[in-house]
Amino acid sequence: MAADTFILDVEASSPCKVYIGEGILEGCADRLGGEPARKILAVCDGRVLSLWKEKLESFLGALDAEVTVFVMENAEHDKNMDTALRAVDVMASRSFGPDSCVMSVGGGSAGDLSGFVSDIYMRGVKLVHVPTSIIAMTDSCTGGKNALDHGGAKNLLGTLKQPYCVIADSSFLSTMPRRLLGEGYGEIIKYDVISGRDISMTEDMPLMIFECLSIKADFVREDEFDRGRRHILNFGHTFGHAFEALSGYEMSHGAAVGYGMKLICAWAASEGIASRSLYEHITAKLDMRGITGMPVFTEDEICSLIRFDKKNRAGGADLVVPRSPGDLFVMNVPFGDIPDLIREAYSWM
């Protein structure tokens, strides 16, 4: 393994080791297979598989295990129960036992499907993530959350399943579409704000990935099951998920989270909770990555989707509100008050 590889231990009910570096995938093959997993189902994003066919075939061929490749041809649209049950059927037909493993190779959708399948098959088999998108590498590959879409609702079904290993090879990012790569910084800017640190948004991608995942590891260690402090990781997500859905999922997750952060920060500033300088700090960083302006949806459209957000409780939405970098809190806002909050935020901008 390369000397400049970062190794992060994520402390949870099932500990996870994360390897981060440029071009490290092939050198990590000996960390999987054999005793940990006799058979592996590799859930691969079809686009990633076509772009990196030789690299992935070399890696999967070097594993000390029987590997079956399961392709998600349209990863975002395949993140549902039908696809999950097809994966289960493949595993059962090939006599996968409790000593098996499910491995994701792709972005967040492949990770979601793999996490869900690994948790329900035979009451749980091992899980490995090989993230290939910037959001999967800096955020969703650790922490254990997975979710499937169902009945038109985003992330309605899901479990909490910790991976036992993550291999974040930043060389995969070289084939990400430029727009999506830039918009993926929405999640990275979130970590910059919630931590109060100045994350290195430079060309040193492994370092940036390590910084983001280290911050997330602190939240997971303190609140693995999302009952308290971990809620702060949802900064920008309540409105962001609504923007994603209203765009017909044409808007990327990173951009949507960026817009969600801007909206709630603008409201906080209008109320004197946060400063204008914090709003300007967030806006400037988002602008640098092409996340400019704000989406135009009505208050009623936004609120109709917020009502189905999985973080809701007590007849309202739990919104993560910033005071300053590193100082955020969760506030439950009654659904009836959210249209006024949205209007106030947009008017203040």
Side-chain angles (χ1 to χ4, degrees):
M1 188 175 297
D4 56 353
T5 300
F6 294 95
I7 300 177
L8 175 66
D9 290 305
V10 180
E11 299 175 26
S13 53
S14 296
C16 172
K17 194 170 286 290
V18 184
Y19 302 93
I20 306 163
E22 179 83 17
I24 65 169
L25 184 65
E26 291 83 349
C28 288
D30 62 350
R31 305 191 181 272
L32 309 172
E35 184 179 348
R38 188 171 59 89
K39 296 186 177 185
I40 296 175
L41 183 77
V43 177
C44 298
D45 182 307
R47 179 180 178 278
V48 174
L49 188 60
S50 64
L51 288 170
W52 295 92
K53 191 172 187 292
E54 185 175 335
K55 179 185 181 84
L56 290 173
E57 284 182 348
S58 174
F59 169 67
L60 296 174
L63 298 175
D64 185 18
E66 178 185 322
V67 179
T68 299
V69 175
F70 181 90
V71 181
M72 297 176 73
E73 295 293 353
N74 189 333
E76 183 62 39
H77 292 88
D78 287 346
K79 199 184 80 165
N80 54 51
M81 184 61 83
D82 288 343
T83 311
L85 292 179
R86 282 198 293 110
V88 166
D89 287 342
V90 168
M91 295 173 74
S93 70
R94 288 164 172 74
S95 302
F96 276 59
D99 57 349
S100 303
C101 172
V102 179
M103 175 193 300
S104 72
V105 181
S109 295
D112 273 334
L113 188 81
S114 299
F116 189 86
V117 170
S118 70
D119 205 23
I120 65 171
Y121 187 77
M122 290 193 170
R123 297 178 181 166
V125 297
K126 287 188 174 178
L127 173 66
V128 172
H129 288 312
V130 180
T132 62
S133 72
I134 190 167
I135 289 181
M137 287 189 193
T138 58
D139 182 60
S140 64
C141 67
T142 63
K145 288 185 180 180
N146 64 71
L148 303 182
D149 302 336
H150 181 69
K154 182 80 170 173
N155 295 338
L156 186 65
L157 308 175
T159 72
L160 194 70
K161 171 72 173 182
Q162 299 293 345
Y164 85 93
C165 180
V166 172
I167 304 168
D169 182 341
S170 61
S171 63
F172 282 112
L173 300 178
S174 65
T175 54
M176 272 198 77
R178 188 177 182 84
R179 179 182 68 84
L180 291 179
L181 183 63
E183 292 177 352
Y185 278 77
E187 282 281 5
I188 297 165
I189 294 165
K190 177 197 79 175
Y191 281 111
D192 180 277
V193 175
I194 67 174
S195 67
R197 305 178 194 174
D198 190 12
I199 292 177
S200 305
M201 297 189 197
T202 65
E203 296 305 311
D204 190 345
M205 299 300 290
L207 174 60
M208 187 173 65
I209 295 164
F210 176 76
E211 289 182 319
C212 290
L213 293 184
S214 296
I215 293 165
K216 185 171 186 178
D218 290 339
F219 282 89
V220 173
R221 184 180 65 253
E222 292 185 28
D223 182 26
E224 177 181 358
F225 298 103
D226 207 14
R227 298 188 179 113
R229 184 170 180 256
R230 187 170 175 175
H231 291 347
I232 299 299
L233 293 174
N234 292 321
F235 178 44
H237 282 63
T238 298
F239 290 112
H241 284 153
F243 291 149
E244 273 187 278
L246 289 168
S247 74
Y249 297 100
E250 293 299 316
M251 183 184 297
S252 71
H253 179 73
V257 168
Y259 293 132
M261 290 190 294
K262 282 180 68 173
L263 192 155
I264 193 61
C265 189
W267 175 81
S270 74
E271 292 288 309
I273 297 169
S275 66
R276 176 175 285 277
S277 63
L278 177 60
Y279 173 81
E280 291 173 348
H281 169 82
I282 293 172
T283 299
K285 291 205 168 189
L286 292 171
D287 285 350
M288 287 176 60
R289 299 299 171 178
I291 306 173
T292 59
M294 281 294 291
V296 181
F297 300 113
T298 68
E299 294 91 345
D300 288 343
E301 287 175 324
I302 297 170
C303 290
S304 68
L305 287 165
I306 286 177
R307 286 181 177 274
F308 294 99
D309 192 276
K310 62 183 179 295
K311 299 177 290 297
N312 294 341
R313 62 180 178 86
D318 275 355
L319 303 180
V320 181
V321 181
R323 293 190 186 95
S324 61
D327 182 10
L328 299 86
F329 66 98
V330 177
M331 180 175 68
N332 186 263
V333 179
F335 293 127
D337 293 342
I338 292 178
D340 286 339
L341 183 154
I342 295 169
R343 279 190 289 270
E344 189 174 344
Y346 272 87
S347 297
W348 183 91
M349 290 181 196

